[in-house]
Protein backbone atom coordinates (compact mmCIF):
# COMPACT_ATOMS: atom_id res chain seq x y z
CA UNK A 1 0.00 0.00 0.00
CA UNK A 2 1.31 3.46 -0.91
CA UNK A 3 2.25 5.78 1.96
CA UNK A 4 0.26 9.00 1.60
CA UNK A 5 0.14 10.38 5.15
CA UNK A 6 2.78 11.86 7.40
CA UNK A 7 2.61 12.78 11.07
CA UNK A 8 4.72 15.62 12.41
CA UNK A 9 4.72 15.76 16.23
CA UNK A 10 5.06 19.39 17.30
CA UNK A 11 3.61 19.48 20.80
CA UNK A 12 6.89 19.72 22.73
CA UNK A 13 7.49 22.67 25.03
CA UNK A 14 10.87 23.56 23.55
CA UNK A 15 12.52 24.08 26.93
CA UNK A 16 15.99 23.77 25.35
CA UNK A 17 15.32 27.05 23.53
CA UNK A 18 13.97 29.21 26.32
CA UNK A 19 13.44 32.13 26.44
CA UNK A 20 12.75 32.14 22.65
CA UNK A 21 10.11 29.45 23.10
CA UNK A 22 8.32 31.01 26.04
CA UNK A 23 5.39 32.12 23.90
CA UNK A 24 6.47 30.89 20.48
CA UNK A 25 6.65 27.29 19.21
CA UNK A 26 10.19 26.02 18.70
CA UNK A 27 9.02 24.71 15.30
CA UNK A 28 8.65 28.33 14.15
CA UNK A 29 12.27 29.28 14.88
CA UNK A 30 13.81 30.10 11.51
CA UNK A 31 16.85 28.65 9.83
CA UNK A 32 17.93 31.74 7.89
CA UNK A 33 14.37 32.90 7.11
CA UNK A 34 12.26 29.75 7.01
CA UNK A 35 10.65 28.12 10.07
CA UNK A 36 12.14 24.70 10.81
CA UNK A 37 8.73 23.02 10.41
CA UNK A 38 8.46 24.32 6.84
CA UNK A 39 11.64 22.42 5.93
CA UNK A 40 9.94 19.27 7.25
CA UNK A 41 6.67 19.90 5.38
CA UNK A 42 8.61 20.59 2.17
CA UNK A 43 10.53 17.33 2.59
CA UNK A 44 7.23 15.45 3.03
CA UNK A 45 5.73 17.03 -0.08
CA UNK A 46 8.81 16.46 -2.23
CA UNK A 47 8.79 12.83 -1.06
CA UNK A 48 5.25 12.36 -2.43
CA UNK A 49 3.24 12.68 0.81
CA UNK A 50 -0.28 14.05 0.23
CA UNK A 51 -1.70 14.63 3.69
CA UNK A 52 0.10 15.87 6.77
CA UNK A 53 -1.11 15.79 10.35
CA UNK A 54 0.70 18.11 12.74
CA UNK A 55 0.29 17.17 16.39
CA UNK A 56 0.21 20.46 18.24
CA UNK A 57 -0.44 21.62 21.78
CA UNK A 58 -1.15 24.85 23.58
CA UNK A 59 0.82 27.88 22.29
CA UNK A 60 1.15 26.41 18.80
CA UNK A 61 -1.39 28.55 16.97
CA UNK A 62 1.27 30.29 14.87
CA UNK A 63 2.06 26.95 13.18
CA UNK A 64 -1.53 26.79 11.89
CA UNK A 65 -1.38 30.44 10.84
CA UNK A 66 1.85 29.82 8.97
CA UNK A 67 0.34 27.15 6.69
CA UNK A 68 -2.93 29.08 6.27
CA UNK A 69 -3.73 31.81 3.76
CA UNK A 70 -2.49 35.26 4.91
CA UNK A 71 -5.29 37.43 3.56
CA UNK A 72 -4.07 40.87 4.71
CA UNK A 73 -0.45 40.19 3.84
CA UNK A 74 -1.36 38.94 0.34
CA UNK A 75 -3.57 41.99 -0.25
CA UNK A 76 -0.78 44.34 0.78
CA UNK A 77 1.85 42.57 -1.37
CA UNK A 78 -0.55 42.57 -4.32
CA UNK A 79 -1.19 46.31 -3.99
CA UNK A 80 2.53 47.03 -3.79
CA UNK A 81 3.24 44.75 -6.79
CA UNK A 82 5.65 42.61 -4.80
CA UNK A 83 5.12 39.59 -7.04
CA UNK A 84 8.03 37.48 -5.78
CA UNK A 85 7.02 37.78 -2.14
CA UNK A 86 3.38 37.19 -3.03
CA UNK A 87 4.30 33.98 -4.77
CA UNK A 88 6.44 32.93 -1.79
CA UNK A 89 3.64 33.58 0.71
CA UNK A 90 0.94 31.91 -1.43
CA UNK A 91 3.18 28.91 -2.01
CA UNK A 92 3.28 28.12 1.70
CA UNK A 93 -0.49 27.88 2.14
CA UNK A 94 -0.83 25.64 -0.91
CA UNK A 95 2.10 23.36 -0.08
CA UNK A 96 0.07 20.44 1.23
CA UNK A 97 -3.19 19.36 2.81
CA UNK A 98 -2.33 20.01 6.46
CA UNK A 99 -4.45 18.86 9.40
CA UNK A 100 -4.00 19.52 13.10
CA UNK A 101 -4.83 17.77 16.32
CA UNK A 102 -3.86 18.70 19.86
CA UNK A 103 -2.01 16.44 22.22
CA UNK A 104 -3.57 17.59 25.46
CA UNK A 105 -0.79 16.45 27.79
CA UNK A 106 2.95 16.02 27.10
CA UNK A 107 3.02 12.26 27.64
CA UNK A 108 5.77 11.47 25.15
CA UNK A 109 6.34 10.75 21.46
CA UNK A 110 4.46 7.43 21.56
CA UNK A 111 1.40 9.16 22.99
CA UNK A 112 1.65 11.94 20.39
CA UNK A 113 1.64 9.35 17.59
CA UNK A 114 -1.32 7.59 19.18
CA UNK A 115 -3.28 10.86 18.77
CA UNK A 116 -3.02 10.27 14.99
CA UNK A 117 -4.88 6.92 15.10
CA UNK A 118 -8.15 8.11 13.55
CA UNK A 119 -6.39 10.24 10.92
CA UNK A 120 -4.16 7.38 9.82
CA UNK A 121 -6.75 4.58 9.77
CA UNK A 122 -5.48 1.27 8.46
CA UNK A 123 -2.59 2.46 6.28
CA UNK A 124 1.18 2.58 6.67
CA UNK A 125 2.28 6.14 7.46
CA UNK A 126 5.37 8.30 7.92
CA UNK A 127 6.57 10.04 11.08
CA UNK A 128 8.87 13.04 10.77
CA UNK A 129 10.41 14.66 13.83
CA UNK A 130 10.85 18.40 13.64
CA UNK A 131 14.19 18.48 15.47
CA UNK A 132 15.84 16.50 12.67
CA UNK A 133 16.48 18.39 9.45
CA UNK A 134 18.23 16.48 6.69
CA UNK A 135 20.07 18.07 3.79
CA UNK A 136 20.31 15.42 1.06
CA UNK A 137 20.19 15.09 -2.70
CA UNK A 138 17.15 12.76 -2.58
CA UNK A 139 14.71 13.85 0.18
CA UNK A 140 15.32 11.75 3.28
CA UNK A 141 11.73 10.51 3.55
CA UNK A 142 11.76 9.59 -0.18
CA UNK A 143 14.78 7.38 0.51
CA UNK A 144 12.83 5.56 3.25
CA UNK A 145 9.77 5.26 1.03
CA UNK A 146 11.88 3.65 -1.71
CA UNK A 147 13.15 1.17 0.86
CA UNK A 148 9.55 0.58 2.01
CA UNK A 149 8.50 -0.24 -1.60
CA UNK A 150 10.99 -3.09 -1.47
CA UNK A 151 10.40 -4.46 2.04
CA UNK A 152 6.73 -3.43 2.59
CA UNK A 153 7.05 -3.19 6.34
CA UNK A 154 8.13 -0.61 8.95
CA UNK A 155 11.37 1.24 8.11
CA UNK A 156 13.39 3.37 10.52
CA UNK A 157 15.69 6.11 9.21
CA UNK A 158 19.09 5.67 10.85
CA UNK A 159 22.66 6.90 10.76
CA UNK A 160 25.73 6.21 12.86
CA UNK A 161 26.33 8.67 15.68
CA UNK A 162 29.43 9.16 17.85
CA UNK A 163 29.49 6.56 20.66
CA UNK A 164 29.28 9.31 23.32
CA UNK A 165 25.94 10.46 21.86
CA UNK A 166 24.04 7.13 21.87
CA UNK A 167 22.20 8.02 25.09
CA UNK A 168 20.31 10.78 23.23
CA UNK A 169 18.66 8.39 20.76
CA UNK A 170 16.72 5.25 20.01
CA UNK A 171 19.43 2.71 19.12
CA UNK A 172 19.02 -0.43 17.01
CA UNK A 173 20.68 -3.83 17.13
CA UNK A 174 21.32 -4.25 13.41
CA UNK A 175 21.66 -7.26 11.12
CA UNK A 176 23.06 -6.10 7.79
CA UNK A 177 20.93 -7.25 4.85
CA UNK A 178 22.35 -5.21 1.98
CA UNK A 179 24.10 -1.88 1.44
CA UNK A 180 22.43 0.64 3.84
CA UNK A 181 19.68 -1.80 4.92
CA UNK A 182 19.55 -3.60 8.27
CA UNK A 183 17.01 -5.92 9.78
CA UNK A 184 16.23 -4.63 13.27
CA UNK A 185 16.96 -7.39 15.80
CA UNK A 186 16.21 -5.18 18.79
CA UNK A 187 15.91 -1.52 19.75
CA UNK A 188 16.29 0.49 22.91
CA UNK A 189 15.51 4.09 23.82
CA UNK A 190 18.41 6.21 25.11
CA UNK A 191 20.75 3.45 26.37
CA UNK A 192 23.79 4.21 28.53
CA UNK A 193 26.94 4.51 26.41
CA UNK A 194 28.50 1.37 27.91
CA UNK A 195 25.32 -0.68 27.43
CA UNK A 196 24.43 0.41 23.90
CA UNK A 197 24.08 -2.44 21.37
CA UNK A 198 25.50 -0.26 18.54
CA UNK A 199 25.92 3.35 17.49
CA UNK A 200 23.18 3.15 14.85
CA UNK A 201 20.60 5.72 15.90
CA UNK A 202 17.03 6.40 14.81
CA UNK A 203 17.12 9.96 13.46
CA UNK A 204 13.63 11.34 13.18
CA UNK A 205 12.21 9.56 10.11
CA UNK A 206 9.99 6.50 10.24
CA UNK A 207 7.58 4.53 8.05
CA UNK A 208 5.30 2.55 10.37
CA UNK A 209 2.52 0.03 9.83
CA UNK A 210 -0.85 0.78 11.48
CA UNK A 211 -0.47 -2.16 13.87
CA UNK A 212 1.54 0.24 16.04
CA UNK A 213 -1.71 1.82 17.28
CA UNK A 214 -2.90 -1.42 18.92
CA UNK A 215 0.47 -1.57 20.67
CA UNK A 216 0.65 2.10 21.67
CA UNK A 217 -2.70 1.78 23.36
CA UNK A 218 -1.05 -0.48 25.95
CA UNK A 219 2.53 0.82 26.00
CA UNK A 220 3.62 1.73 29.52
CA UNK A 221 5.71 4.86 30.16
CA UNK A 222 9.44 4.24 29.72
CA UNK A 223 12.52 6.51 29.81
CA UNK A 224 11.71 9.92 31.43
CA UNK A 225 8.25 8.61 32.39
CA UNK A 226 7.07 9.13 28.80
CA UNK A 227 5.29 6.73 26.45
CA UNK A 228 8.13 6.00 24.04
CA UNK A 229 7.64 5.23 20.34
CA UNK A 230 10.81 3.12 20.48
CA UNK A 231 9.27 0.85 23.16
CA UNK A 232 6.15 0.36 21.03
CA UNK A 233 8.30 -0.39 17.95
CA UNK A 234 10.16 -3.00 19.99
CA UNK A 235 6.86 -4.77 20.66
CA UNK A 236 5.85 -4.37 17.00
CA UNK A 237 9.12 -6.03 16.00
CA UNK A 238 8.01 -9.18 17.81
CA UNK A 239 4.99 -9.39 15.48
CA UNK A 240 6.32 -7.99 12.19
CA UNK A 241 9.75 -7.45 10.67
CA UNK A 242 11.21 -3.94 11.01
CA UNK A 243 14.07 -2.69 8.85
CA UNK A 244 16.41 0.25 9.30
CA UNK A 245 17.65 2.30 6.38
CA UNK A 246 20.86 4.28 6.64
CA UNK A 247 19.89 7.37 4.70
CA UNK A 248 22.23 9.61 2.74
CA UNK A 249 22.47 13.24 3.81
CA UNK A 250 23.67 15.64 6.47
CA UNK A 251 21.34 15.56 9.45
CA UNK A 252 21.15 18.51 11.80
CA UNK A 253 19.75 18.32 15.33
CA UNK A 254 18.05 21.70 15.29
CA UNK A 255 16.55 21.03 18.73
CA UNK A 256 20.05 21.55 20.11
CA UNK A 257 21.60 25.02 20.16
CA UNK A 258 24.87 23.95 18.53
CA UNK A 259 23.06 21.91 15.86
CA UNK A 260 20.75 24.84 15.22
CA UNK A 261 23.69 27.20 14.73
CA UNK A 262 25.43 24.71 12.41
CA UNK A 263 22.29 24.41 10.28
CA UNK A 264 21.95 28.18 10.18
CA UNK A 265 25.54 28.65 8.97
CA UNK A 266 25.36 25.86 6.36
CA UNK A 267 21.97 26.89 4.98
CA UNK A 268 23.03 30.56 4.85
CA UNK A 269 26.14 29.60 2.88
CA UNK A 270 23.91 27.85 0.32
CA UNK A 271 21.95 31.02 -0.36
CA UNK A 272 23.31 32.88 -3.39
CA UNK A 273 22.35 36.30 -1.97
CA UNK A 274 24.13 35.67 1.36
CA UNK A 275 26.96 33.31 0.48
CA UNK A 276 29.78 35.71 -0.39
CA UNK A 277 29.17 38.34 2.27
CA UNK A 278 28.62 35.75 5.00
CA UNK A 279 31.69 33.72 4.03
CA UNK A 280 33.81 36.85 4.07
CA UNK A 281 32.52 37.64 7.57
CA UNK A 282 33.16 34.09 8.83
CA UNK A 283 36.72 34.11 7.49
CA UNK A 284 37.33 37.45 9.15
CA UNK A 285 36.16 36.34 12.61
CA UNK A 286 37.95 32.99 12.39
CA UNK A 287 41.25 34.74 11.68
CA UNK A 288 40.86 37.37 14.37
C1 LIG B 1 13.26 11.03 19.83
C2 LIG B 1 13.09 9.51 19.85
C3 LIG B 1 14.43 8.82 19.68
C4 LIG B 1 15.09 9.31 18.40
C5 LIG B 1 15.23 10.85 18.43
C6 LIG B 1 15.74 11.36 17.10
O1 LIG B 1 13.94 11.42 21.00
O2 LIG B 1 12.48 9.13 21.07
O3 LIG B 1 14.25 7.41 19.62
O4 LIG B 1 16.36 8.71 18.26
O5 LIG B 1 13.95 11.47 18.68
O6 LIG B 1 15.99 12.71 17.11
P1 LIG B 1 13.96 12.96 21.55
O7 LIG B 1 14.99 13.67 20.72
O8 LIG B 1 12.58 13.49 21.33
O9 LIG B 1 14.34 12.85 22.98
Amino acid sequence: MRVKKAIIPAAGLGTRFLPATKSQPKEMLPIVDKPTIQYIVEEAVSSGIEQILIITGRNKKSIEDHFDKSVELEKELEEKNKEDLLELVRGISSLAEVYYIRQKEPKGLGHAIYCAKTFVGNEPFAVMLGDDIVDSSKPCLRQLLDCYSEYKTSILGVQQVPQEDVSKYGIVTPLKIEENVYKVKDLVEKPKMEESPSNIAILGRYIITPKIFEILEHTAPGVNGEIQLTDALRLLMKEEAIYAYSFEGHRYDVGDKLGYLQATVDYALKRPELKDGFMEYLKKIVHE
Side-chain angles (χ1 to χ4, degrees):
M1 199 188 266
R2 204 163 74 78
V3 179
K4 293 179 292 220
K5 297 176 179 173
I7 315 300
I8 306 177
L13 295 174
T15 42
R16 285 195 283 175
F17 269 89
L18 280 169
T21 50
K22 185 168 175 289
S23 65
Q24 175 192 210
K26 68 170 175 179
E27 293 78 10
M28 289 302 293
L29 296 177
I31 299 200
V32 186
D33 51 11
K34 195 192 282 185
T36 56
I37 195 163
Q38 192 181 329
Y39 288 88
I40 306 284
V41 168
E42 287 176 353
E43 182 191 319
V45 172
S46 58
S47 298
I49 291 293
E50 293 167 11
Q51 297 177 343
I52 296 171
L53 178 71
I54 303 182
I55 318 279
T56 65
R58 283 179 286 280
N59 277 339
K60 302 282 181 168
K61 199 174 154 289
S62 59
I63 298 179
E64 295 185 35
D65 290 342
H66 186 70
F67 293 105
D68 196 2
K69 215 171 145 54
S70 312
V71 182
E72 293 79 12
L73 180 61
E74 287 183 26
K75 192 165 164 271
E76 169 114 357
L77 293 172
E78 220 166 357
E79 279 167 15
K80 295 199 169 141
N81 289 322
K82 298 201 167 166
E83 292 298 329
D84 291 359
L85 288 177
L86 186 61
E87 203 180 308
L88 179 97
V89 167
R90 281 192 176 146
I92 300 168
S93 55
S94 53
L95 260 178
E97 224 179 284
V98 188
Y99 299 83
Y100 302 89
I101 191 165
R102 276 193 181 197
Q103 182 186 18
K104 296 189 184 73
E105 291 164 85
K107 288 196 198 161
L109 179 60
H111 178 257
I113 300 303
Y114 187 71
C115 297
K117 184 176 183 240
T118 310
F119 172 82
V120 169
N122 200 25
E123 300 173 28
F125 62 101
V127 172
M128 308 175 80
L129 304 187
D131 281 347
D132 297 294
I133 289 201
V134 183
D135 183 24
S136 53
S137 41
K138 190 198 269 187
C140 180
L141 186 62
R142 185 68 253 163
Q143 298 179 45
L144 262 67
L145 288 167
D146 289 347
C147 183
Y148 171 83
S149 319
E150 205 174 315
Y151 290 90
K152 300 193 170 51
T153 189
S154 302
I155 312 282
L156 314 178
V158 296
Q159 274 189 347
Q160 294 199 23
V161 295
Q163 197 65 33
E164 60 272 21
D165 287 344
V166 290
S167 60
K168 294 185 193 163
Y169 301 106
I171 300 289
V172 309
T173 306
L175 174 70
K176 190 166 177 179
I177 300 285
E178 56 169 308
E179 194 59 25
N180 298 328
V181 182
Y182 306 94
K183 185 154 197 268
V184 176
K185 302 296 288 174
D186 204 351
L187 59 171
V188 55
E189 180 69 11
K190 301 189 173 59
K192 290 198 184 110
M193 190 169 100
E194 50 291 0
E195 288 167 12
S196 188
S198 77
N199 67 340
I200 298 183
I202 308 169
L203 294 180
R205 298 292 182 276
Y206 311 71
I207 311 288
I208 309 180
T209 62
K211 202 167 184 59
I212 196 78
F213 294 113
E214 289 167 34
I215 295 169
L216 279 170
E217 202 173 340
H218 307 289
T219 305
V223 175
N224 298 333
E226 295 178 347
I227 298 174
Q228 296 290 348
L229 179 60
T230 305
D231 294 346
L233 287 167
R234 185 163 192 267
L235 297 171
L236 180 65
M237 188 198 68
K238 300 197 167 142
E239 299 186 36
E240 300 175 354
I242 298 185
Y243 289 85
Y245 183 76
S246 179
F247 59 82
E248 165 274 319
H250 188 148
R251 170 255 176 193
Y252 297 90
D253 177 5
V254 299
D256 171 73
K257 281 175 205 161
L258 188 58
Y260 178 81
L261 289 170
Q262 288 165 347
T264 302
V265 171
D266 287 357
Y267 278 82
L269 289 173
K270 280 166 170 275
R271 296 284 285 268
E273 76 279 20
L274 292 171
K275 195 173 160 250
D276 294 345
F278 191 40
M279 183 55 101
E280 206 175 295
Y281 174 72
L282 290 176
K283 280 186 184 153
K284 187 170 154 262
I285 56 169
V286 165
H287 289 120
E288 260 167 15

